[in-house]
């Protein structure tokens, strides 16, 4: 049986096609790695020894031996918490999912290697209120924001605006049998929000930034890749993701002070990877949010940004 | 009447689409466990380097094809 001692461990899903970009780069460089997919776990023989810090994984032909003295880095692409939304799992499936998810999180015992990102850091950084507070303290312009489950009261934000941005505090996603609902970001009139019902779940209300150009900043360690997002040469009002056609992602260089704050934000959140959404309006850059697990592979294709290479090199310790 | 009986505004405004619940393999590719990658059935090229493959999507677009990772 072939024995492999991986220096890089990728915790992923088989259907996470962004990871394929990274494994292709790692393979090009003859790196020794193992991509461990959640779908494959039950098909493999797996033994984790937390005291001696070893993980042995076997399939029919290969034995992978991971130990803390050889492991250089972990690329963590799994969710940090389970979002269950109406999918009818059997008792066996629920049990298996919960226990394997815990197993993956327990790999945090490998604490001497480089994590992109560490699940603990991702957990904290996924929270929008935390992001906004830190971004503001670091010097970013941040749109006036209120998170609330009541709308027909005196509100500084609503009193001063005729229209506001409405979005969920987390991904708006729910499923029932064969259908799923998903919520984008909306621009809504003051009267509509004031006549609506939000008692059942808090909403995020934000000052509308007019005439904006969206900017996606992808940070890998200390490397920054930025694009502007336009349609027909112009910025897009509200949520650009609702537009499927004629979207151009154009490489841009941000001002040094904005790059600096982006790096400081990742540092403060203890992230090695972050996908930051900014909005440029009236010469000012506004922080919208940071996605610690944001997608990026579409930018490799659409904008020729070598993000896959940067991630692979970072995991290999090449600078 | 309970405070939460009326439909929430975020659900009122959400889009609805059908889902199968079954993830499909990328068409024309097979998964290679050792390489940790999908390879083209004919050229054996990596998915990311393969000509003519479906381009990767933004997360929001992926949701409509059931590929979003956050719901795991």
């Amino acid at each position: 049986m072939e024995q492999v001692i991986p220096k890089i461990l990728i915790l992923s899903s088989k259907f996470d096609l962004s990871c394929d970009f990274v494994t292709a780069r790692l393979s090009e460089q003859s790196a020794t790695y193992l991509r461990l997919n959640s779908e494959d776990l039950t098909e493999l023989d797996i033994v984790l020894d937390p005291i001696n810090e070893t993980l042995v994984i076997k399939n029919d032909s290969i034995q992978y031996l991971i130990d803390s003295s050889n492991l250089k880095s972990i690329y963590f692409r799994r969710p940090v918490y389970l979002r269950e939304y109406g999918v009818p799992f059997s008792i066996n499936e629920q049990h298996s999912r919960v226990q394997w998810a815990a197993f993956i999180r327990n790999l945090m015992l490998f604490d001497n290697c480089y994590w992109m990102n560490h699940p603990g850091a991702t957990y904290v950084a996924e929270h929008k209120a935390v992001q906004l507070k830190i971004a503001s303290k670091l010097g970013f312009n941040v749109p006036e924001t209120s998170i609330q489950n009541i709308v027909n009261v005196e509100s500084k934000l609503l009193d001063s605006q005729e229209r506001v941005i409405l979005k969920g505090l987390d991904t708006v996603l729910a499923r029932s049998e064969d259908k799923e609902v998903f919520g984008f970001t909306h621009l809504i009139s003051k009267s509509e929000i004031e006549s609506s019902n939000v008692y059942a779940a808090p909403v995020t209300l934000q000052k509308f930034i007019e005439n904006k150009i969206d900017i996606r900043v992808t940070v890998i360690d200390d490397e920054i890749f930025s694009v502007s997002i336009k349609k027909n040469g112009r910025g897009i009002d509200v949520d650009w993701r609702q537009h499927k056609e004629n979207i151009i992602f154009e490489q841009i260089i941000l001002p040094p002070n904005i790059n600096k704050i982006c790096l400081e934000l990742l540092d403060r959140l203890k992230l090695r990877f972050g996908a930051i959404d900014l909005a440029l309006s009236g010469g000012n850059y506004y922080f919208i949010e940071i996605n610690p697990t944001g997608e990026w592979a579409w930018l490799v294709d659409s904008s020729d940004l070598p993000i896959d290479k940067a991630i692979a090199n970072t995991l290999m310790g090449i600078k | 009447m309970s405070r939460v009986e009326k439909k929430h505004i975020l659900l009122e405004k959400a889009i609805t689409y059908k889902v199968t619940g079954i993830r499909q393999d990328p068409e024309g590719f097979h998964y290679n466990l050792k390489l940790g990658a999908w390879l083209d059935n004919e050229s054996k090229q990596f998915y990311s380097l393969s000509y003519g493959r479906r381009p990767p999507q933004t997360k929001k677009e992926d949701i409509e094809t059931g590929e979003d990772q956050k719901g795991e």
Side-chain angles (χ1 to χ4, degrees):
Chain A
M1 178 172 274
E2 183 184 354
Q3 181 154 308
V4 176
I5 302 176
K7 291 185 174 172
I8 300 166
L9 177 61
I10 299 169
L11 301 170
S12 178
S13 156
K14 202 168 156 183
F15 298 96
D16 180 0
L17 295 172
S18 297
C19 264
D20 281 61
F21 284 68
V22 175
T23 52
R25 292 290 189 183
L26 292 173
S27 183
E28 268 175 12
Q29 305 255 23
S30 304
T32 318
Y33 63 91
L34 168 64
R35 175 172 173 178
L36 188 57
N37 297 316
S38 53
E39 297 84 0
D40 300 328
L41 293 168
T42 55
E43 302 300 318
L44 300 165
D45 298 343
I46 299 177
V47 178
L48 174 66
D49 179 342
I51 310 304
N52 293 303
E53 301 177 46
T54 61
L55 172 63
V56 180
I57 299 174
K58 269 197 283 193
N59 63 21
D60 293 340
S61 55
I62 308 174
Q63 173 173 280
Y64 296 93
L65 174 60
I66 292 168
D67 77 65
S68 57
S69 60
N70 287 309
L71 190 62
K72 269 190 170 178
S73 57
I74 295 181
Y75 187 32
F76 184 83
R77 291 278 301 178
R78 301 304 303 143
V80 291
Y81 40 79
L82 293 173
R83 286 182 171 93
E84 304 291 16
Y85 47 95
V87 183
F89 291 114
S90 68
I91 285 179
N92 282 347
E93 287 168 336
Q94 290 174 50
H95 174 70
S96 181
R97 286 167 61 85
V98 167
Q99 297 300 322
W100 277 120
F103 178 87
I104 295 296
R105 291 196 304 272
N106 271 278
L107 298 180
M108 286 191 281
L109 75 90
F110 293 109
D111 55 3
N112 283 328
C113 65
Y114 177 99
W115 283 79
M116 184 191 283
N117 288 317
H118 192 279
T122 295
Y123 184 88
V124 174
E126 283 274 18
H127 296 88
K128 306 301 180 201
V130 174
Q131 300 176 5
L132 288 164
K133 173 191 145 180
I134 294 175
S136 173
K137 282 192 184 299
L138 291 173
F140 263 127
N141 292 308
V142 174
E144 193 179 330
T145 303
S146 181
I147 298 160
Q148 53 193 73
N149 82 329
I150 185 163
V151 287
N152 55 350
V153 289
E154 277 189 29
S155 152
K156 194 175 142 205
L157 177 60
L158 289 173
D159 285 351
S160 63
Q161 305 293 316
E162 283 309 309
R163 297 182 299 172
V164 290
I165 289 294
L166 167 75
K167 54 189 179 182
L169 188 51
D170 197 354
T171 307
V172 176
L173 187 64
R175 185 182 291 180
S176 165
E177 294 180 356
D178 63 342
K179 69 178 184 185
E180 196 165 88
V181 296
F182 175 77
F184 287 98
T185 295
H186 310 279
L187 178 62
I188 184 170
S189 70
K190 181 180 172 179
S191 58
E192 188 177 4
I193 187 71
E194 284 181 342
S195 63
S196 67
N197 185 323
V198 296
Y199 291 124
V203 294
T204 303
L205 301 176
Q206 249 173 0
K207 186 175 177 182
F208 176 46
I209 300 171
E210 296 190 53
N211 302 317
K212 69 169 168 72
I213 295 171
D214 290 290
I215 292 167
R216 166 54 71 97
V217 186
T218 306
V219 184
I220 290 116
D221 219 23
D222 56 2
E223 274 188 88
I224 295 179
F225 302 92
S226 304
V227 294
S228 64
I229 303 166
K230 294 180 184 171
K231 184 174 182 175
N232 302 325
R234 304 177 62 182
I236 301 162
D237 272 347
V238 197
D239 198 329
W240 64 266
R241 295 163 302 190
Q242 293 191 75
H243 298 255
K244 306 279 186 200
E245 307 290 334
N246 303 322
I247 303 284
I248 301 294
F249 305 99
E250 186 184 5
Q251 286 191 41
I252 57 166
I253 304 290
L254 291 172
N257 65 318
I258 299 298
N259 278 340
K260 183 169 171 278
I261 307 177
C262 288
L263 294 177
E264 285 172 357
L265 179 64
L266 262 81
D267 186 54
R268 185 71 69 87
L269 290 168
K270 299 184 172 61
L271 298 175
R272 268 71 181 262
F273 171 93
I276 302 170
D277 290 329
L278 302 179
L280 174 61
S281 175
N284 295 314
Y285 290 86
Y286 291 87
F287 172 85
I288 306 299
E289 64 175 37
I290 179 168
N291 300 293
T293 60
E295 288 305 332
W296 49 265
W298 48 287
L299 291 168
V300 177
D301 272 9
S302 63
S303 309
D304 236 4
L305 292 174
I307 298 174
D308 49 347
K309 196 174 176 184
I311 293 173
N313 285 349
T314 304
L315 294 173
M316 286 187 289
I318 299 171
K319 277 289 166 187
Chain B
M1 186 175 172
S2 156
R3 275 170 39 130
V4 298
E5 275 179 22
K6 192 175 165 189
K7 195 170 185 181
H8 192 278
I9 189 168
L10 283 172
L11 294 179
E12 264 178 16
K13 290 187 169 293
I15 57 166
T16 303
Y17 45 92
K18 288 207 166 211
V19 287
T20 62
I22 301 164
R23 285 182 164 174
Q24 304 289 332
D25 292 356
E27 201 177 329
F29 293 84
H30 64 279
Y31 190 77
N32 182 303
L33 205 65
K34 187 173 181 183
L35 292 172
W38 293 90
L39 304 182
D40 189 294
N41 287 342
E42 289 173 12
S43 68
K44 311 298 176 204
Q45 186 70 271
F46 278 86
Y47 166 85
S48 62
L49 307 172
S50 182
Y51 179 77
R53 63 165 161 74
R54 178 178 179 262
Q57 307 295 300
T58 65
K59 189 164 275 182
K60 287 297 172 286
E61 288 164 334
D62 283 350
I63 278 176
E64 292 171 53
T65 56
E67 291 173 17
D68 178 67
Q69 302 297 307
K70 283 194 167 184
E72 280 297 291

